[in-house]
Amino acid sequence: MQETLSTARAALRKARKIVIFTGAGTSAESGIPTFRDAMTGLWARFSAEALATPEAFARDPELIWGWYEWRRAKVLTAEPNAGHHAIADFACRHGDVTVVTQNVDDLHERAGTPAAIHLHGSLFEPRCVACHRAGDFAVARPQEPEGGRRLPPPRCAHCDGMLRPGVVWFGESLPGAAWAEAMKATDDCDALIVAGTSALVYPAAELPVRVAQRGATVIQVNPHATALDTLAHFNLHGPAGSWLPRLLSADD
């Protein structure tokens, strides 16, 4: 594995434009539950897939808003891990790095990464279901009970419509501007690092496939086997928090 790491680092040194693409596994190392984790408390009788839909919000907005406030509270009590900090340090040192994430938290930004592209939206950018404007939102540390609770969604300051979480739900399209930015960055890059994603959720999972198909370098960091194993030029099997600091280190 050390030889793979050294060769991958050499490939990165030759790359002019680099994209780092992160998924839920990167944030899981900070203690943020993923969609695969068992639900507890109020949410125990639901699957995450059943809650993360526009139809679920229309049926029971208080249940869904309560779940997302519980998730936001988890994020606000978490801290960026070594993987987030390695990415931020590398992005600041390197001339042309774009960070694209499937995560809806703010851990990349809190670690110091400038302007990550959020393909699946953000827990911190709600919007109105009626006028679609961004909603005003106090980014305080909510004191949510561990078992969860139902909460009425806030109202829009412009039209009094309900605010909904600003995330991409199952059955919804990715934000057009973010997707276009991510496509352009990956189509232009010389190297792509894929960290902590199962590469199963489309269309986001299409990005590393496109990079591999045109022959640019793909480096995968993941503790588990994924659909990208046969496409990636380098596979570093293990947690992002362990491998990314070594892969992205400034040391020769």
Side-chain angles (χ1 to χ4, degrees):
M1 195 69 78
Q2 183 61 41
E3 183 178 349
T4 301
L5 175 64
S6 298
T7 312
R9 282 173 52 81
L12 282 182
R13 285 194 291 271
K14 295 176 183 176
R16 187 169 56 89
K17 295 184 177 182
I18 297 170
V19 173
I20 303 175
F21 178 41
T22 66
T26 309
S27 291
E29 293 181 53
S30 291
I32 296 177
T34 73
F35 268 33
R36 293 186 182 85
D37 292 330
M39 305 280 268
T40 59
L42 178 60
W43 331 117
R45 58 197 173 96
F46 302 97
S47 69
E49 290 83 357
L51 294 173
T53 70
E55 293 78 15
F57 185 75
R59 282 194 306 268
D60 196 341
E62 292 189 4
L63 176 71
I64 305 309
W65 187 266
W67 183 50
Y68 276 91
E69 275 297 271
W70 177 84
R71 291 184 63 195
R72 191 170 72 92
K74 290 288 186 186
V75 168
L76 287 170
T77 56
E79 295 295 334
N81 60 56
H84 293 110
H85 287 295
I87 290 169
D89 292 345
F90 184 74
C92 291
R93 291 196 321 270
H94 196 280
D96 198 335
V97 175
T98 301
V99 177
V100 180
T101 186
Q102 293 173 286
N103 299 332
V104 296
D105 55 59
D106 63 347
L107 295 182
H108 279 303
E109 288 81 1
R110 284 165 55 193
T113 295
I117 299 171
H118 285 260
L119 290 182
H120 292 163
S122 170
L123 290 171
F124 301 92
E125 297 178 1
R127 64 179 184 272
C128 178
V129 298
C131 71
H132 308 296
R133 286 187 173 97
D136 294 329
F137 201 54
V139 185
R141 290 184 181 263
Q143 299 299 312
E144 289 302 304
E146 186 58 36
R149 60 175 173 162
R150 301 168 64 92
L151 285 171
R155 292 283 173 172
C156 174
H158 299 281
C159 72
D160 200 42
M162 280 192 303
L163 296 187
R164 56 155 283 178
V167 300
V168 176
W169 280 329
F170 290 103
E172 294 184 322
S173 299
L174 301 187
W179 179 241
E181 277 188 85
M183 289 276 283
K184 184 178 187 308
T186 51
D187 283 349
D188 290 346
C189 75
D190 304 304
L192 172 71
I193 300 168
V194 185
T197 176
S198 63
L200 294 175
V201 180
Y202 279 80
E206 179 183 332
L207 296 177
V209 175
R210 290 170 64 94
V211 174
Q213 286 177 339
R214 64 179 177 80
T217 299
V218 176
I219 303 168
Q220 179 179 223
V221 179
N222 203 301
H224 309 292
T226 78
L228 287 180
D229 280 18
T230 56
L231 290 176
H233 297 85
F234 305 99
N235 285 296
L236 298 171
H237 290 298
S242 298
W243 279 116
L244 287 177
R246 298 162 67 186
L247 177 66
L248 303 177
S249 169
D251 298 334
D252 291 331

